[in-house]
Amino acid sequence: MRAHPAGPLHGGLQIPDGIGPQPADVNAVDPHVWPHGARRTDGVLTIAGAKVTDLVADHGTPAFFLDEDAFRSRSRDFQASFDGMDVFYAGKSFLCSSVVRWLDEDGLGIDVASGGELALALRSGFPAERLALHGNNKSAAELTAAVDARVGRIIVDSFDEIDRLAGIAAERGVVQPVQIRITVGVEAHTHEFIATAHEDQKFGFSVSSGDAAAAAERVLATDSLELLGLHSHIGSQIFDLSGFEVSARRVVALLATLRDAHGVELPEIDLGGGLGIAYTSDDDPLEPKQVAASLREIVERECAAARLAVPRVSVEPGRAISGPPTITVYEVGTVKPVVLDHGTRLYVSVDGGMSDNIRTALYDAEYTCVLANRESDARPVAARIVGKHCESGDIVVRDLWLPGDVRPGDLLAVAATGAYCRAMASNYNMLPKPPVVGVKDGVGSVLLRRETLDDMFALDTGLAGTNEEEAR
Ligand SMILES: *Cc1c(COP(=O)(O)O)cnc(C)c1O
């Protein structure tokens, strides 16, 4: 084992590496991170007017609790702030029929990234003209479904796809509106695996290689496709507008190139999503109003310089709408102090893990959590929240301070788990997926029910006829 220099002392124990300073109050419910109005009532974490102990009594653990007013105020805030532009919610971050209906009522569009997401939006009654279909490998069946539904735009991502889509639209005698996904060579300041606009990755047509211009030329020459504009998505969990600024400049430059070469001024650009949110107290996200004002200003300035009419701008926030309103509540099962040569870490195991939140394992994502069923003035200890899966990387919150008397039966709530957690959930170790419960005015209602063993086993043909629900 590597020798560590002695760390600072903490109550006679040394503090393990990696953990930040102990907060002034480990029971605090930081309004920066938790859904609007979250607080403690008689010591119990309360969201949308409901105590999590009451929610758990009704819905069990692990469970996602979604503050409906918080979700809707975020989507409305984007819609209002981006006045004169179009907001497409990135459905891949979290989608269910209730979310689709809220977005419809509030006038947003939705980005879908597969035939499944498309089908969910359509079955929930969402108007096809406000849907955009994304993906680097859309199948013929997915493209056909989108064309037949008359989705408002398909964002094309390869020459193969342009040809495939052109054929499908031509066969049906329709003209399908498209945007071209371009790669502008901007690397957003995030973890490598979620930055998508640098060159060596699978998405988009490179501007610098000339592929983006060639793709535009091919679409312009295709009767069954209508070229609406250019699309650039530079990454995720971005806190700094400079990436968008460079991206907008390069997108507008390509608009000017296309005008000069082909005499067309494309009417739309899309600058993608990726706005960061506060997963922990240290994160400092931008306000939608601020982002909208800057993007508007940048696009107007660049278009004026290139003597282009200002195109219609759209954006695609996902996590910035769906992330903050939702929390995950787990029950603690075991508590194990692990003595290291440079301190002691308390491993707190919960009844879910990487099957309901893969982001920590996948991206080293940071989360924060609190003891939710009670407050405690026990001396805080350095803790790690881990799941129940057969992987040592099955970590939910890598490093945080928790009251030292945390024990089996306690509830832990993790903040800002609305995006890419339920959406990326798996059945690893045959754990059923947790429910998503909407909470409004103190009342919880199930949006997605908890998966059952029967739901999972229904796919196993060798178990046909063993369904316990049906047998009852
Ligand atoms: C994932 C994605 C988004 C949304 O990203 P967030 O980080 O959730 O805002 C938007 N547009 C495209 C094309 C994406 O792939």
Side-chain angles (χ1 to χ4, degrees):
M1 215 182 257
R2 197 152 58 91
H4 284 266
L9 286 178
H10 170 69
L13 292 174
Q14 285 179 348
I15 301 172
D17 292 344
I19 190 163
Q22 186 185 321
D25 177 7
V26 289
N27 295 298
V29 178
D30 181 355
H32 189 65
V33 172
W34 294 87
H36 182 71
R39 60 197 151 80
R40 287 192 186 270
T41 313
D42 311 321
V44 178
L45 179 67
T46 303
I47 71 156
K51 288 183 175 177
V52 297
T53 43
D54 293 336
L55 293 170
V56 163
D58 290 343
H59 301 283
T61 58
F64 294 100
F65 295 107
L66 182 161
D67 179 332
E68 295 188 9
D69 288 341
F71 188 105
R72 299 200 67 172
S73 74
R74 295 188 79 85
S75 65
R76 287 170 179 159
D77 188 16
F78 268 96
Q79 183 70 352
S81 300
F82 285 78
D83 186 31
M85 302 185 242
D86 294 312
V87 180
F88 285 77
Y89 168 73
K92 69 179 200 250
S93 67
F94 175 66
L95 212 54
C96 67
S97 60
S98 305
V99 162
V100 171
R101 291 188 190 114
W102 299 337
L103 295 165
D104 186 13
E105 281 175 25
D106 293 338
L108 286 81
I110 301 182
D111 273 359
V112 292
S114 71
E117 292 179 10
L118 173 64
L120 177 72
L122 292 173
R123 272 201 219 181
S124 308
F126 199 82
E129 67 271 15
R130 281 195 276 132
L131 289 176
L133 177 64
H134 277 273
N136 67 299
N137 183 17
K138 308 172 192 77
S139 68
E142 289 171 323
L143 292 170
T144 303
V147 170
D148 285 347
R150 297 307 189 88
V151 303
R153 53 161 100 151
I154 296 177
I155 291 76
V156 294
D157 191 279
S158 66
F159 290 111
D160 289 328
E161 185 189 337
I162 292 173
D163 295 344
R164 191 176 300 153
L165 179 59
I168 291 166
E171 241 168 58
R172 283 161 171 69
V174 301
V175 177
Q176 174 62 49
V178 303
Q179 289 187 341
I180 293 178
R181 171 82 178 254
I182 66 172
T183 310
V184 294
V186 176
E187 189 167 345
H189 290 229
T190 54
H191 194 282
E192 186 187 2
F193 299 142
I194 47 178
T196 52
H198 58 104
E199 300 278 335
D200 191 7
Q201 46 83 30
K202 69 177 185 174
F203 291 110
F205 293 96
S206 156
V207 172
S208 61
S209 73
D211 281 351
E217 192 168 338
R218 185 163 322 174
V219 172
L220 286 169
T222 304
D223 290 338
S224 61
L225 301 180
E226 176 195 359
L227 184 54
L228 292 178
L230 304 175
H231 183 289
S232 165
H233 172 70
I234 57 170
S236 279
Q237 192 57 359
I238 300 167
F239 292 105
D240 172 354
L241 281 169
S242 61
F244 288 104
E245 168 139 25
V246 179
S247 165
R249 202 179 301 137
R250 295 190 183 161
V251 170
V252 171
L254 184 55
L255 287 181
T257 304
L258 295 175
R259 178 213 35 215
D260 297 344
H262 305 288
V264 290
E265 290 200 18
L266 301 180
E268 293 182 1
I269 63 173
D270 188 303
L271 296 174
L275 296 169
I277 62 168
Y279 287 105
T280 74
S281 300
D282 295 337
D283 294 327
D284 195 12
L286 299 156
E287 290 294 323
K289 249 184 207 54
Q290 216 182 334
V291 179
S294 304
L295 292 186
R296 195 177 279 121
E297 197 264 325
I298 294 164
V299 172
E300 283 172 5
R301 171 164 32 90
E302 295 299 319
C303 287
R307 278 172 284 106
L308 281 165
V310 177
R312 182 122 186 136
V313 178
S314 50
V315 290
E316 303 173 326
R319 87 190 59 221
I321 292 175
S322 62
T326 296
I327 68 172
T328 309
V329 179
Y330 300 101
E331 185 176 309
V332 174
T334 65
V335 173
K336 185 192 289 182
V338 174
V339 180
L340 310 167
D341 57 359
H342 55 298
T344 298
R345 197 190 307 282
L346 193 67
Y347 276 78
V348 179
S349 297
V350 297
D351 51 355
M354 64 193 295
S355 56
D356 59 72
N357 186 350
I358 189 76
R359 294 188 65 260
T360 306
L362 194 57
Y363 310 125
D364 260 335
E366 291 190 26
Y367 284 94
T368 191
C369 85
V370 294
L371 184 58
N373 54 312
R374 62 188 175 95
E375 289 182 286
S376 166
D377 53 15
R379 185 200 301 278
V381 297
R384 176 165 292 172
I385 312 307
V386 296
K388 62 181 280 133
H389 294 279
C390 304
E391 290 279 337
S392 53
D394 174 25
I395 295 170
V396 180
V397 185
R398 185 172 298 279
D399 289 298
L400 86 162
W401 294 92
L402 276 185
D405 64 348
V406 59
R407 55 184 178 252
D410 275 334
L411 300 177
L412 291 182
V414 181
T417 56
Y420 307 106
C421 289
R422 182 58 178 76
M424 288 186 168
S426 75
N427 290 122
Y428 182 43
N429 289 137
M430 295 213 180
L431 263 61
K433 292 176 189 167
V436 179
V437 178
V439 190
K440 185 175 165 59
D441 302 329
V443 179
S445 48
V446 177
L447 305 180
L448 287 179
R449 73 162 165 80
R450 185 183 300 284
E451 203 173 25
T452 63
L453 292 182
D454 285 339
D455 289 333
M456 286 196 295
F457 298 162
L459 305 180
D460 187 330
T461 56
L463 290 176
T466 67
N467 186 315
E468 289 185 9
E469 296 267 304
E470 283 169 12
R472 259 179 235 135

